[in-house]
Amino acid sequence: MWRSSFIPKDRSGRRKRPDMEDVHGVVIVGGGIGGLATALALHRKGIHSLVLEKSETLRADGVAISIHANGWRALDSLAVGTELRELATLITAEHRVWPQQNKTTLAPTRKELRCLRRKDLVQTLANNLPAGAIRFGCHIAAIDAADPSSHGAVLTTVDGSTMKAKVLIGCDGANSVVAKFLGLSRPSQLPCLGILGLTSYPKGQPFGSEYLHLLGKGYAFGQIPITGNIVHFYINMSIQSTELKKSFKTRDCDDTDTTKDDASKGKDYALQKLQECQCPAEIAETVRRSDPESLKILTRMWYRPPWRLVLGRFQRGNVTVAGDAMHVMGPFNGQGGAAALEDAVVLARSLSLAVPGGVDAPMATDHGLQEKIGAAIGRYVQERRPRVVKLSLESFVMGALLGAKSLVKKVVCAAILGILGSKSRFQANYDCGSL
Ligand SMILES: Cc1cc2nc3c(=O)[nH]c(=O)nc-3n(C[C@H](O)[C@H](O)[C@H](O)COP(=O)(O)OP(=O)(O)OC[C@H]3O[C@@H](n4cnc5c(N)ncnc54)[C@H](O)[C@@H]3O)c2cc1C
């Protein structure tokens, strides 16, 4: 029996008191979009899990998130799609502007696309979980393999307490401790500046249901309505010099706050860029009147290069990863979060087919249970790998195109995006299937 035979040692080599030991079935590290969606997917299939989140409250970094048809399908599988659609305008047209080339296209959006406030998404996922499903303020510092007879893991928190998980799912973002346990290398950093924010229009926003992309030299500006009164905007810029890094305090996606100083610098910087490209006045106005509390400046973004996803080890016994912990990618195709939702559905489906009663069933009565769980995780990894390689490649190439100076590089990037069907948003129309 796990509870009686496994008493871990603390860092000084002493045995911990048995009453400090905590044994769980499915443990999910990280209560972001990926972790909450995975817990909800498992819950919908009758499998209990425990989410461990290092923050004291729900986090909603990144301001807003565009969700394409693939993400909405996954949210429908989680039975929260209808509720969330109430909070996000359906985008009906995409307007693309290339100021340098004096080129503009306006096309109807053929597949579902809506933008949600992050806090609405994480709150809705969390609200649909049973009470006690999330343990806040639980920061996992290290993962170790469990005793050889089992396939689980031992988790150590920053305050030194330990717990054991029969199944461990790392949804702990780009700098995942679970990914480290699996042997995945640290993700790479993207030389990119991101400025994100929300603008409120109490009397109604003037952009209707149109998504605007402005693709300038070395930067991309996006403006997407969330509701009739709130608009989300972002600016992504490729940065070659260290000048920007010096101007802003280093921030990455795992940081919680943007300082007021950085926010105001970021706003000025964005306005200057928009002025340089002579963008229409109402666009600059969106940035100018943005809600200062909502502004986020990111000077570091992470990505796992697609070639590392091809062979990366995503399973060790009954331990795996999902969301950014598995496939963090740049924001260029707006798919990282939706891919995390897909992961949740596929993983829960695979586990529930293998162990319909959940993993809390007494282990001793079924010696094959561990192997069944391991095989289910293996099928999840097998199903997700080609999908996340394609998404990651798409994002990687889109980012490369943004910073491309030579014609050859631009042509190669455009050709790869053509093969991936990026123009027709082929990847955004993927169906990960039902739970
Ligand atoms: C600028 C930008 C724009 C984006 N836009 C889009 C978009 O429009 N559409 C889209 O689909 N995707 C988008 N993405 C990608 C999307 O934000 C991510 O893919 C998504 O948030 C990943 O969710 P996650 O839960 O896997 O990771 P995270 O959101 O990073 O969550 C990880 C969670 O784990 C917790 N945690 C971390 N370490 C530990 C630990 N050791 N112990 C306990 N808890 C821990 C963290 O506190 C956090 O709550 C964008 C990304 C960026 C950077």
Side-chain angles (χ1 to χ4, degrees):
M1 294 287 285
W2 289 38
R3 198 173 270 282
S4 56
S5 67
F6 185 79
I7 302 176
K9 289 177 183 172
D10 67 17
R11 283 179 176 148
S12 59
R14 282 191 302 267
R15 292 275 178 205
K16 281 191 169 280
R17 290 198 327 268
D19 60 352
M20 289 177 71
E21 195 186 343
D22 213 1
V23 182
H24 295 273
V26 181
V27 171
I28 297 168
V29 182
I33 293 169
L36 296 174
T38 303
L40 182 55
L42 291 168
H43 172 62
R44 297 289 190 224
K45 298 303 285 182
I47 299 177
H48 172 76
S49 68
L50 175 68
V51 178
L52 307 176
E53 168 56 47
K54 68 179 179 183
S55 304
E56 296 296 336
T57 52
L58 283 179
R59 289 180 54 169
D61 292 347
V63 185
I65 183 164
S66 304
I67 305 278
H68 292 269
N70 58 318
W72 285 105
R73 286 197 185 103
L75 288 169
D76 283 334
S77 294
L78 300 176
V80 289
T82 308
E83 190 179 343
L84 285 167
R85 282 186 182 89
E86 299 283 317
L87 307 172
T89 296
L90 177 68
I91 302 301
T92 55
E94 288 188 60
H95 190 180
R96 286 176 185 265
V97 181
W98 290 264
Q100 263 77 38
Q101 290 98 321
N102 234 345
K103 192 177 144 192
T104 300
T105 60
L106 180 64
T109 312
R110 289 193 201 92
K111 304 285 181 236
E112 185 170 12
L113 168 61
R114 296 169 195 263
C115 184
L116 281 164
R117 275 188 293 197
R118 294 231 177 197
K119 68 173 188 192
D120 290 338
L121 176 56
V122 292
Q123 195 69 62
T124 303
L125 293 171
N127 287 350
N128 280 273
L129 289 173
I134 311 171
R135 190 180 288 180
F136 289 106
C138 185
H139 190 167
I140 301 304
I143 312 286
D144 292 292
D147 52 300
S149 63
S150 66
H151 299 233
V154 179
L155 294 80
T156 306
T157 63
V158 285
D159 59 15
S161 60
T162 58
M163 70 174 75
K164 187 162 182 177
K166 295 173 187 175
V167 177
L168 176 63
I169 305 167
C171 294
D172 44 344
N175 295 301
S176 161
V177 284
V178 183
K180 193 174 163 197
F181 169 76
L182 295 179
L184 294 172
S185 56
R186 209 172 137 79
S188 307
Q189 273 188 37
L190 209 56
C192 185
L193 174 76
I195 300 167
L196 327 162
L198 298 176
T199 306
S200 300
Y201 293 83
K203 291 186 183 153
Q205 49 89 355
F207 309 106
S209 54
E210 196 177 291
Y211 186 178
L212 172 77
H213 307 257
L214 203 82
L215 298 152
K217 203 175 172 188
Y219 74 95
F221 172 83
Q223 179 186 277
I224 181 164
I226 296 182
T227 63
N229 301 94
I230 300 171
V231 172
H232 169 51
F233 70 86
Y234 61 81
I235 303 180
N236 293 324
M237 284 173 237
S238 65
I239 38 172
Q240 306 298 340
S241 70
T242 52
E243 182 207 321
L244 270 174
K245 289 193 172 180
K246 279 188 202 148
S247 311
F248 297 98
K249 266 192 163 180
T250 306
R251 297 269 148 205
D252 66 26
C253 312
D254 206 29
D255 285 336
T256 42
D257 296 313
T258 290
T259 62
K260 275 195 181 142
D261 189 36
D262 269 2
S264 117
K265 269 189 207 159
K267 192 168 169 175
D268 292 347
Y269 196 89
L271 285 167
Q272 184 197 323
K273 280 281 160 192
L274 294 172
Q275 198 179 6
E276 277 168 23
C277 76
Q278 296 167 350
C279 78
E282 67 265 31
I283 293 174
E285 190 57 19
T286 309
V287 180
R288 195 170 291 115
R289 60 184 288 176
S290 57
D291 170 8
E293 302 291 306
S294 75
L295 276 181
K296 288 260 179 254
I297 312 295
L298 306 171
T299 57
R300 273 191 305 177
M301 294 186 209
W302 301 96
Y303 72 102
R304 219 179 265 294
W307 51 93
R308 291 221 197 113
L309 294 177
V310 174
L311 293 173
R313 184 180 181 188
F314 297 138
Q315 178 181 15
R316 185 168 159 189
N318 290 349
V319 181
T320 190
V321 274
D324 277 9
M326 184 194 243
H327 48 66
V328 61
M329 59 185 88
F332 308 104
N333 56 352
Q335 278 291 346
L341 297 171
E342 292 177 8
D343 293 341
V345 172
V346 176
L347 180 53
R349 181 172 62 220
S350 192
L351 276 174
S352 65
L353 283 171
V355 281
V359 304
D360 292 328
M363 306 292 274
T365 59
D366 184 353
H367 295 296
L369 194 60
Q370 300 283 7
E371 283 70 26
K372 278 188 195 167
I373 296 169
I377 292 174
R379 283 190 290 276
Y380 152 75
V381 169
Q382 201 180 9
E383 186 171 341
R384 293 306 291 156
R385 195 187 296 276
R387 169 72 177 147
V388 297
V389 167
K390 277 186 208 144
L391 287 177
S392 153
L393 180 63
E394 182 178 65
S395 173
F396 182 82
V397 176
M398 282 178 167
L401 190 57
L402 186 66
K405 290 207 167 60
S406 82
L407 184 65
V408 176
K409 194 172 176 186
K410 284 181 189 170
V411 169
V412 171
C413 289
I416 298 173
L417 292 177
I419 294 166
L420 290 169
S422 305
K423 203 174 166 202
S424 60
R425 292 216 182 271
F426 181 73
Q427 301 302 335
N429 196 31
Y430 180 82
D431 186 354
C432 67
S434 58
L435 262 177

